[in-house]
């Protein structure tokens, strides 16, 4: 093996064109999913623009803009007018996400419509399932998640993404969808979703902070990676079509481990706190947002993610 001075790795770093020729990881807008929040009225977010919300009417203007930027996939989150103990707004035929889906489906047949299937934005207590004896009841929640997924697909969703972390939800969703005749609808499972401090800005935007306790009884302990592989294994056995790791940057090793253990498409969710950290640092003059975002997204892809859910998706489409 040759070494210095015959070998000089700087030779291929000399110019931008040379660096581009040997670049191992490239960002492509078709690998990105943009989160959209829909609520009773539009509400801009000056600090964190991607966490602003749209009314059903304004949403279609946004979709138009995204398609114009060459983007092809969105994930929808709903903020309902009213919440209750059972999160009934999540599975109401005229719920906020269902109405948004109907509008978008008709006008934009080519836009991939993914929905986040979870009760936390719809429950008065803010937990991702129904409460029995002070705890989130797993099996009673499954039935409601199944109803939610079916109502989304009836309204026009292409893909459902369960994010609640109940045991058995992928199997429950598959069964509910198949029974309703939706055998062709894919399930992208948030398989390894950690109980993370980085969801803060999302919970503010979606008004889904738990009213008591926390989510550590169902979301994963950030200390564990073998458990993440078990979660993925179970979701694959329950027929998940793709796996999501979330958050992304604190879990690049988990993305890599899942990539090496499974042949399903692997997704990473670059969450609200990861976006907010860079935004805040950039606003304070500590770093350049665009460079930091591109470096972060490249690292997530390099770790093994095929697709990335990110609040920078729209900016990225302009930067590329
Ligand atoms: C719903 C859900 C959450 C996120 C995605 N789906 C919130 C949570 O689990 O508390 C977080 C996304 C983000 O922070 O960007 N359960």
């Amino acid at each position: 093996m040759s070494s210095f001075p015959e070998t000089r790795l700087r030779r291929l770093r000399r110019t931008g064109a040379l660096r581009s020729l040997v670049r191992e990881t490239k960002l492509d807008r078709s690998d990105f999913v943009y989160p959209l929040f829909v609520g009773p009225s539009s509400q801009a977010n000056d600090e964190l623009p991607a966490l602003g919300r749209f009314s059903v009417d304004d949403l279609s203007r946004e979709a138009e803009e995204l398609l114009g930027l060459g983007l092809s996939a969105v994930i929808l989150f709903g903020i309902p007018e009213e919440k209750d103990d059972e999160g009934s707004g999540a599975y109401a035929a005229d719920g906020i996400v269902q109405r948004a889906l109907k509008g978008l489906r008709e006008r934009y047949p080519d836009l991939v419509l993914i929905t986040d299937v979870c009760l936390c934005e719809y429950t008065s207590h803010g937990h991702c399932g129904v409460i029995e004896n002070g705890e989130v009841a797993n099996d009673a929640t499954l039935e409601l998640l199944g109803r939610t997924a079916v109502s989304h697909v009836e309204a026009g969703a292409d893909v459902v993404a369960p994010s609640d972390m109940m045991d058995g939800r992928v199997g429950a969703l598959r069964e509910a969808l198949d029974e309703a005749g939706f055998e062709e609808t894919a399930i992208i499972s948030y398989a390894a979703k950690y109980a993370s401090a980085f969801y803060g800005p999302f919970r503010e935007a979606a008004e889904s902070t738990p009213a008591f306790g926390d989510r550590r009884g169902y979301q994963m302990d950030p200390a564990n990676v073998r458990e993440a592989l078990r979660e993925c294994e179970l979701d694959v056995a329950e027929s998940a079509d793709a796996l999501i790791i979330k958050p992304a940057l604190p879990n690049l090793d988990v993305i890599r481990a899942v990539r090496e253990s499974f042949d399903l498409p692997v997704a990473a969710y670059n969450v609200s706190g990861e976006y907010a950290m860079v935004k805040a640092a950039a606003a304070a003059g500590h770093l350049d947002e665009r460079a930091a975002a591109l470096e972060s997204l490249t690292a997530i892809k390099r770790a093994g993610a095929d697709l990335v859910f990110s609040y920078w998706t729209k900016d990225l489409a302009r930067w590329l």
Side-chain angles (χ1 to χ4, degrees), residues 35 37 51 77 116-121 128 163-164 190 193-194 198-203 208 210 215 219 246 269-273 311:
F37 297 85
L51 287 155
F77 296 96
D116 186 89
V117 173
C118 194
L119 301 182
C120 68
E121 292 119 62
C128 303
S163 69
D164 52 283
Y190 288 82
K193 174 170 175 180
Y194 288 92
F198 293 103
Y199 305 151
F202 173 97
R203 290 184 189 169
S208 64
R215 301 207 209 287
Q219 298 181 347
K246 176 183 174 190
Y269 200 129
N270 175 221
V271 303
S272 59
Y311 299 97

